[in-house]
Amino acid sequence: MENGLNDKEVLTLCVAQDGAIWIGTDGGGLNVYKDGKNSRIYSSDTGEISSLTYLSSLKDSEQNLWFGSAFMGIDIYRSGEKRFSHYQPRIRHAMVFALFEDDKRNIWIGTDYGIEVYNLQTREKSFLHTGNSKLPTDQIRSFSQDKKRKSLDWYT
């Protein structure tokens, strides 16, 4: 397995500041490729991370890596500290389909229950869903922002 993945299905990719490629799998946890080799595997079996299945990823403005899981919240690799922390969205056991950071340092979290917005500076949270906004559905699969950063769109 020196150069191979420990799982056959890749669901998300994230490139770290050092050029390592972090691969979220469907049942194998997180694989880290560096210098053409699978240099590290993180697994919930060892207690380092909370899930074996990751659906989304993001490198934030602080160079931390966010990994959205299926039902187990978000694991954040703190690059400066070389350790993981855990972020639990408001709705427990949500599927975290999408992660996006805007220019105001808000992390937009797309789930099967709506959108959670977390500000990196203030640590404030807000939650949008069909009951309190104009969202047509609570299933949020991805985000995009125009080149001028004037509008943020979400997709179901």
Side-chain angles (χ1 to χ4, degrees), residues 3-98:
N3 291 319
L5 290 172
N6 70 337
D7 191 77
K8 63 183 177 181
E9 193 168 347
V10 172
L11 299 178
T12 188
L13 299 169
C14 193
V15 180
Q17 186 176 15
D18 66 358
I21 300 169
W22 290 65
I23 302 166
T25 67
D26 184 16
L30 295 169
N31 288 240
V32 183
Y33 266 73
K34 193 164 185 175
D35 301 323
K37 296 179 182 173
N38 193 343
S39 64
R40 184 74 197 263
I41 296 170
Y42 292 96
S43 169
S44 62
D45 295 338
T46 61
E48 295 170 291
I49 55 177
S50 63
S51 181
L52 289 174
T53 301
Y54 290 93
L55 307 172
S56 57
S57 58
L58 165 75
K59 179 172 67 173
D60 71 18
S61 57
E62 298 173 356
Q63 305 306 316
N64 296 315
L65 307 178
W66 294 57
F67 298 97
S69 74
F71 310 116
M72 300 302 290
I74 300 169
D75 288 317
I76 305 167
Y77 183 73
R78 305 286 178 188
S79 297
E81 303 167 27
K82 300 199 181 319
R83 69 172 183 85
F84 281 94
S85 64
H86 187 74
Y87 178 89
Q88 184 60 56
R90 179 178 169 186
I91 303 291
R92 291 194 177 280
H93 307 296
M95 295 184 72
V96 181
F97 293 121

